[in-house]
Amino acid sequence: MSDLFQNYDSTVAPVYTKLDISKPIGYNPLAPPRFNYTVYLYYLKLVEVIEPEEKVSVVLEMAEYWYDPRLAWDASSYGDIQMLHMRQDRVWSPTIASFRINEIADFRDQDFRMVCVENTGHVYTSLTLKVSLNCPMNVGRFPYDSQTCVIQFCMPLFFMQHVELFNSIYQGILNKTIWEKMVKFNLIIFLSFNPLKGNSEWDLVNLTNRVELLSYNDGVGDMQLATFEIKIQRNPMYYIYMIVFPSFIINALSIIGVFMRKTDKMSKLNVGLTNIMTMTFILGVMADKIPKTGSIPLLGIYIIINLFIMIFAVGITTILGELQKWAIPKLKAKKSGLNRKLEYILGDPLETICMAVLEFVNLANFFVMIGFWISDSD
């Protein structure tokens, strides 16, 4: 330690900056390679999804490492010591910044951050972050929707000619025994081919990484972004059991109640209005759950169709009642075979046909809604 830090200054970065930033990368073959900074993601847990605010919160465990040639030593000269652990304030550490992230909280103890220094000059440390980010949501297929959110980090202080940014996903999470242990402790790691739940309503189904280039087309302000893209998919079972299926049953029973032959006009109207108020209330509850976007969600379309089915049912039964009151006395006055048939058709058969048609439309609407769920499951 005495030899290693004899002439070491932790306030100065090991970044070679004697480069002309207006020239392309690598223009000087004699210059040392760009400073490399790498971020490994080895743990991610979905904490919260607030749809009205289009906000997603996740907890990240990341390992970061970089190369500082001033911290290299010949292991054979020091008893074959190849690794040292020390406080992070003893060495220079890069400052990574979030990009397009609302809030970020570092859970590490500021006074006891540790780093691992290898004799090759590579320095390793870890980050535990809670990140809250804006995630624009497309709720057109709600509640069968999936959303893609992007988490990005950058090093805005350095020019691209000085620093090269890398990111990757730690391959150790491919071990299934690790998954099982982490699931027991509610630590959720996920892969695209083996999704694990990270939230009761949402499933984490995919994770990818890439390095993007943010260019301002001026050749100077270009910046690399270490990007992690997560895909989350909603679990629709709650909405199917609590909204879709009950709405279907309520509509089916209400249609029967509206077309019951021996029910007076006021009772039929009460049944219809009660159903309409129920559907309107469900729409209001759903509106509080999703962001105010220009698209109507699939569940909203389903409820609106049920609402119009009941409006049509109330309208048809009202029209039929007035038609029967006006036409049947006139048909009875003219006793003929055709008039008796018309009188019979205007009675129970016509109401039964209308009820059957509306019940079929209600059933078809339900099966279409369930069909989206089945197709997504396949």
Side-chain angles (χ1 to χ4, degrees), residues 171-195:
Q171 294 299 308
I173 64 174
L174 298 177
N175 190 332
K176 293 185 178 181
T177 59
I178 299 297
W179 298 345
E180 295 172 359
K181 291 179 181 179
M182 288 190 172
V183 170
K184 289 179 182 179
F185 290 99
N186 201 24
L187 302 179
I188 308 305
I189 296 177
F190 59 95
L191 299 170
S192 60
F193 54 86
N194 194 352

Side-chain angles (χ1 to χ4, degrees), residues 82-133:
Q82 300 180 359
M83 186 179 298
L84 294 172
H85 293 85
M86 64 194 70
R87 295 282 181 87
Q88 189 170 352
D89 57 9
R90 291 294 303 270
V91 303
W92 177 88
S93 301
T95 302
I96 189 170
S98 60
F99 187 77
R100 292 192 295 193
I101 292 177
N102 287 344
E103 299 175 8
I104 184 168
D106 191 343
F107 293 148
R108 296 179 299 176
D109 192 321
Q110 302 295 323
D111 298 326
F112 295 96
R113 295 183 180 182
M114 299 291 292
V115 295
C116 172
V117 181
E118 293 185 343
N119 67 303
T120 58
H122 289 93
V123 184
Y124 299 81
T125 187
S126 63
L127 292 169
T128 304
L129 305 175
K130 181 181 178 182
V131 175
S132 297
L133 61 144

Side-chain angles (χ1 to χ4, degrees), residues 17 89-90 114 134 136 152 227-228 243 248 264 267 346 375:
T17 57
D89 57 9
R90 291 294 303 270
M114 299 291 292
N134 277 338
Q152 294 179 315
T227 302
F228 295 99
I243 296 181
F248 165 71
D264 60 275
S267 297
L346 287 176
S375 62

